Amino acid sequence: MTDSLDTRKMAMSGAEPLVLLDGISHAYPNGKVSLTELSFAVHPGEVVCLLGPSGSGKSTAIRCVNMLEPVTAGRLVFEGIDVTAKDVNQVEVRKRVGMVFQNFELFPHMSVLKNVAIGPIVSLKRPKAEAYDLARELLAKVGLSDKGDVLPSQLSGGQQQRVAIARALAMQPDVMLFDEPTSALDPEMVGEVLAVMRKLAEEGMTMVVVTHEMRFARNVADWVVVMEDGRLVEEGTPERIFEQPRMERTRAFFGKLEEQDGVLPTG
């Protein structure tokens, strides 16, 4: 169940999708199916939020976009290239996709500055001086210009996640993927990470965000995808999804959130 695709194309100025999941499925080696014929698009400059209960396949979907999990059926198209084709160099494509994980995944033995600079040096073969200048610029962007010389263990969880965002940005990706970036944080640290993500959205960064932060999805997303049991339940604008969900499964999901956390955001 979707909103008008024509309306969406007009809103995105007719741009072709940057990322297209075209009926993709995923199964683990033990045969367990986690995604079934999942289809949605991400346009340039768009923020797409994936919502749904735990175990609905959201994280698997985003890991498929980054080719960390194999697509076992269907097509994944990135910038017009079918990256599921046998002759495609997925390593080169992955360099254009930034990924922010739940648990930061920083190198514990490296300084914050080196954590941010190492990707461009090793993967993109950038000169060290250039990479470190970019790293300093990005640490300033996420509000951590004074933390370059410390180790990750000396930072709060929110600060570590902001370093992880800077590290992903250092690869100068065409799209940023966020896999529940606030789920491992104490409540008081969530806001500082969401503020950085909101700023990226305002600057036009293409983003796919798996999140349980309903207020962020309601206020920042351009498009919302609701999943359950590895399938798309419905998709649409945040206004329509939050105010007039069409599917009973979506209404049930929001109802459980209201029971747990109070009234869903309306603006």
Side-chain angles (χ1 to χ4, degrees):
M1 184 69 69
T2 68
D3 285 352
S4 167
L5 293 179
D6 290 337
T7 300
R8 188 182 185 196
K9 286 180 180 179
M10 289 176 60
M12 302 310 299
S13 302
E16 291 299 316
L18 180 66
V19 179
L20 175 65
L21 286 74
D22 182 15
I24 73 167
S25 297
H26 172 272
Y28 292 104
N30 64 6
K32 180 181 179 182
V33 176
S34 57
L35 297 176
T36 304
E37 297 182 354
L38 179 65
S39 297
F40 65 86
V42 184
H43 293 82
E46 191 175 42
V47 178
V48 174
C49 283
L50 307 188
L51 308 182
S54 297
S56 60
K58 306 183 300 298
S59 292
T60 303
I62 208 171
R63 289 174 67 85
C64 284
V65 172
N66 202 29
M67 293 151 281
L68 295 176
E69 294 287 352
V71 173
T72 51
R75 296 189 310 146
L76 173 64
V77 181
F78 181 75
E79 296 184 328
I81 300 170
D82 181 357
V83 300
T84 52
K86 292 183 179 179
D87 60 343
V88 171
N89 187 334
Q90 292 189 348
V91 174
E92 289 301 312
V93 174
R94 190 180 290 124
K95 291 178 183 179
R96 290 140 58 187
V97 182
M99 183 81 177
V100 178
F101 300 89
Q102 297 179 29
N103 294 310
F104 324 138
E105 304 293 343
L106 300 175
F107 296 112
H109 63 289
M110 292 183 183
S111 70
V112 163
L113 185 65
K114 190 170 184 179
N115 260 282
V116 178
I118 193 69
I121 292 171
V122 173
S123 297
L124 303 181
K125 309 304 180 185
R126 298 285 189 264
K128 287 186 178 181
E130 177 185 316
Y132 277 99
D133 284 345
L134 176 60
R136 293 184 186 94
E137 177 184 327
L138 290 172
L139 286 175
K141 184 183 185 73
V142 299
L144 295 171
S145 57
D146 60 336
K147 301 296 185 181
D149 294 331
V150 307
L151 293 173
S153 60
Q154 297 173 272
L155 301 178
S156 69
Q159 289 172 327
Q160 290 186 62
Q161 193 62 294
R162 284 186 279 157
V163 174
I165 293 173
R167 180 185 59 184
L169 290 172
M171 295 293 288
Q172 298 179 304
D174 296 329
V175 60
M176 286 279 285
L177 310 178
F178 295 84
D179 185 7
E180 298 192 30
T182 61
S183 65
L185 302 180
D186 292 333
E188 62 269 22
M189 299 176 187
V190 170
E192 64 190 58
V193 173
L194 293 181
V196 171
M197 294 171 61
R198 184 187 294 265
K199 182 178 180 181
L200 292 177
E202 292 171 350
E203 293 173 351
M205 173 61 73
T206 307
M207 300 162 59
V208 185
V209 184
V210 174
T211 185
H212 290 289
E213 299 292 339
M214 295 298 110
R215 190 173 299 279
F216 178 88
R218 175 68 174 83
N219 293 337
V220 179
D222 299 290
W223 199 252
V224 172
V225 173
V226 182
M227 295 178 60
E228 184 179 73
D229 295 331
R231 298 176 182 271
L232 185 145
V233 175
E234 64 177 311
E235 61 178 329
T237 63
E239 292 81 8
R240 208 276 297 156
I241 292 292
F242 281 97
E243 295 173 11
Q244 296 178 320
R246 294 169 181 162
M247 304 301 290
E248 177 57 35
R249 286 176 290 175
T250 305
R251 292 192 288 270
F253 170 61
F254 287 158
K256 289 182 180 178
L257 290 180
E258 288 182 335
E259 291 175 6
Q260 295 170 2
D261 303 320
V263 179
L264 283 170
T266 57

